[in-house]
Amino acid sequence: MTVPRTDTPRRRQVVIVGSGFGGLFAAQRLKKADCDVTLVAKTTSHLFQPMLYQLATGIVAEGEIAPATRVVLQKQKNTQVLLGEVFDIDVENQIVRSQLLERVTDLPYDDLIIAAGADQSYFGNDHFAEYAPGMKTIDHALELRGRILGAFEQAELSHDPVEQQKLMTFVVVGAGPTGVEMAGQIAEMSDKTLKGAFRNIDPTNARVILLDAAPAVLAPFGEKLGAKAVKRLEKLGVEIQLNAMVTDLDYDGLTVRGKDGTERRIESQCKVWSAGVQASGLGSVLQEKTGVELDRAGRVKVGPDLAVPGYPNLFVVGDMMAVDGVPGVAQGAIQGGRYAADAIKAEITRGQTPEQRTPFSYFDKGSMATVSRFSAVMQVPIPGTKKKFETEGYFAWLGWLALHLVYLVGYRNRLNTLVNWFFAFSTRGRTQLAITEQQVYARSALKELTYLERLRVAEAEHKERRAADTASEAVAPDA
């Protein structure tokens, strides 16, 4: 179906794909613009992705970091929010096509902002995903929470020390900010929150391994801060294994190749993958339709105005854009989304042409990563110089808390998060430790449903062929 517009005369139509930082902030920037905005996304919420690891380890609830997008934008009268996954972009006729179940929706546009984000990358080993969930969605985080806590529950039922050790060995692949944060929180949860909660096992004996094919932890932060993070992680009991590439991964563990080429096996039922990202598949759609170039991660090589070369009304922002000097972080998406919205507003209000646009300029506000309670690393550029202010420890941790509270959407979410942080960091308790079988086994169930659906389709096609053959045989003698 085509979404109708009733305004007369017809106003400028802006379509935004994605409800992440880039999409949401672009929509909010267009609040008072003389245009109609349609935001379409495959999820109903705006996910505050930097705090997914806290959802996975029971500190915060999903509603606190993922408010409903249509509720966030409900007072923005020129904006409509639609649920659906965009699968096609007709750049010649300027139509975006999305699908929800069996319903296909056509969205005409005058301006298009694509902020569809990125997915987890397994570097060509997509079958790893079944055994090592990533950290890109709420589903991932809830599945991981179920797997982490479920591993302890299984260990409690076992009386085999070898099996218990495998169940209580947690491997985090990827030593970037997400991997460091996950490893630190699993170690803290094992050592503090769950201590004394079981009778047959001692959770403090859990083994947490952080490994990476790279030679450093938190490489983008530099050697000094990386070393500080390593020291804090090791104090928590986290084993750090660098220059270690995962070559195989299954239900019971993973195979790792060292720098010298030798391979070894780590027995572990619960694995977390945070080693890489791959831009949304919409990048490939754009490449097919416009001929735009993509980088190795599938990101779109946009022009200085974040538009696809040759298509000045088609912007790509956030994790999908490839721009030198702009990292794949929330600030890059926020600034890119606002820039695209401002370019559209300038054209509407002042008649500014694409040639008159000022090139996008990224303002680096710094980087932060938490290691554990009361410990974080922070790196902030010093204005007017090429130097950066670096610090770690308690004050960096306070800065991380303050910054993330500011960018959480909604006062109630900020208050609830603050309360949860108070109890989680001042006591051993965590308020979000409920898990369900559905969270743990949903991936397997969906895979089975997909298999059954394919089997049903194959059987139906087989019956149709047999019926056609029978009809042909019946007609043949008369011929």
Side-chain angles (χ1 to χ4, degrees), residues 49 94 131 291 343 369 376 387 477:
Q49 207 170 76
Q94 298 193 165
Y131 310 110
K387 297 182 179 180

Side-chain angles (χ1 to χ4, degrees), residues 169-296:
T169 296
F170 303 91
V171 179
V172 181
V173 183
T178 301
V180 166
E181 290 164 344
M182 273 298 297
Q185 285 304 316
I186 293 174
E188 282 201 336
M189 184 166 63
S190 305
D191 195 48
K192 298 183 181 300
T193 305
L194 301 179
K195 182 179 180 181
F198 295 86
R199 299 296 174 262
N200 188 42
I201 59 169
D202 182 0
T204 63
N205 291 329
R207 184 184 179 197
V208 182
I209 301 172
L210 176 65
L211 61 84
D212 200 307
V217 172
L218 293 180
F221 286 79
E223 185 176 346
K224 179 181 176 182
L225 291 181
K228 294 288 187 180
V230 167
K231 185 177 180 181
R232 178 57 184 165
L233 287 170
E234 289 179 339
K235 188 175 180 180
L236 290 171
V238 176
E239 298 178 33
I240 299 174
Q241 301 180 16
L242 302 175
N243 296 304
M245 179 182 292
V246 177
T247 59
D248 196 15
L249 196 151
D250 55 42
Y251 181 81
D252 292 310
L254 62 162
T255 303
V256 178
R257 180 188 298 146
K259 190 176 182 180
D260 58 1
T262 59
E263 292 192 344
R264 53 193 169 83
R265 173 82 176 176
I266 300 175
E267 296 296 324
S268 167
Q269 185 171 305
C270 186
K271 285 84 64 179
V272 183
W273 191 274
S274 63
V277 295
Q278 181 75 22
S280 165
L282 281 181
S284 297
V285 174
L286 284 177
Q287 184 181 47
E288 179 184 346
K289 297 299 180 69
T290 68
V292 70
E293 189 179 354
L294 306 181
D295 69 3
R296 293 178 60 185

Side-chain angles (χ1 to χ4, degrees), residues 63-266:
E64 292 162 11
I65 64 170
T69 310
R70 64 174 62 256
V71 174
V72 175
L73 297 173
Q74 65 181 334
K75 294 182 179 180
Q76 197 162 313
K77 300 305 181 183
N78 69 335
T79 302
Q80 180 181 22
V81 177
L82 298 177
L83 179 63
E85 184 167 6
V86 173
F87 67 90
D88 185 40
I89 301 171
D90 183 345
V91 296
E92 299 304 324
N93 297 307
Q94 298 193 165
I95 295 174
V96 171
R97 293 189 175 90
S98 67
Q99 183 170 2
L100 176 63
L101 299 177
E102 301 298 325
R103 186 186 299 273
V104 174
T105 303
D106 286 354
L107 300 170
Y109 69 85
D110 295 304
D111 301 282
L112 176 60
I113 300 175
I114 302 179
D119 301 316
Q120 203 72 57
S121 173
Y122 290 87
F123 307 107
N125 299 295
D126 292 345
H127 61 286
F128 286 3
E130 182 177 354
Y131 310 110
M135 281 292 291
K136 289 296 178 183
T137 68
I138 293 176
D139 286 334
H140 287 159
L142 292 176
E143 182 179 359
L144 280 170
R145 189 168 76 189
R147 291 191 180 206
I148 294 167
L149 296 173
F152 286 109
E153 296 294 343
Q154 292 180 68
E156 176 75 357
L157 295 171
S158 174
H159 295 281
D160 179 355
V162 175
E163 183 183 28
Q164 287 180 337
Q165 185 60 58
K166 180 183 75 173
L167 289 166
M168 292 199 298
T169 296
F170 303 91
V171 179
V172 181
V173 183
T178 301
V180 166
E181 290 164 344
M182 273 298 297
Q185 285 304 316
I186 293 174
E188 282 201 336
M189 184 166 63
S190 305
D191 195 48
K192 298 183 181 300
T193 305
L194 301 179
K195 182 179 180 181
F198 295 86
R199 299 296 174 262
N200 188 42
I201 59 169
D202 182 0
T204 63
N205 291 329
R207 184 184 179 197
V208 182
I209 301 172
L210 176 65
L211 61 84
D212 200 307
V217 172
L218 293 180
F221 286 79
E223 185 176 346
K224 179 181 176 182
L225 291 181
K228 294 288 187 180
V230 167
K231 185 177 180 181
R232 178 57 184 165
L233 287 170
E234 289 179 339
K235 188 175 180 180
L236 290 171
V238 176
E239 298 178 33
I240 299 174
Q241 301 180 16
L242 302 175
N243 296 304
M245 179 182 292
V246 177
T247 59
D248 196 15
L249 196 151
D250 55 42
Y251 181 81
D252 292 310
L254 62 162
T255 303
V256 178
R257 180 188 298 146
K259 190 176 182 180
D260 58 1
T262 59
E263 292 192 344
R264 53 193 169 83
R265 173 82 176 176
I266 300 175

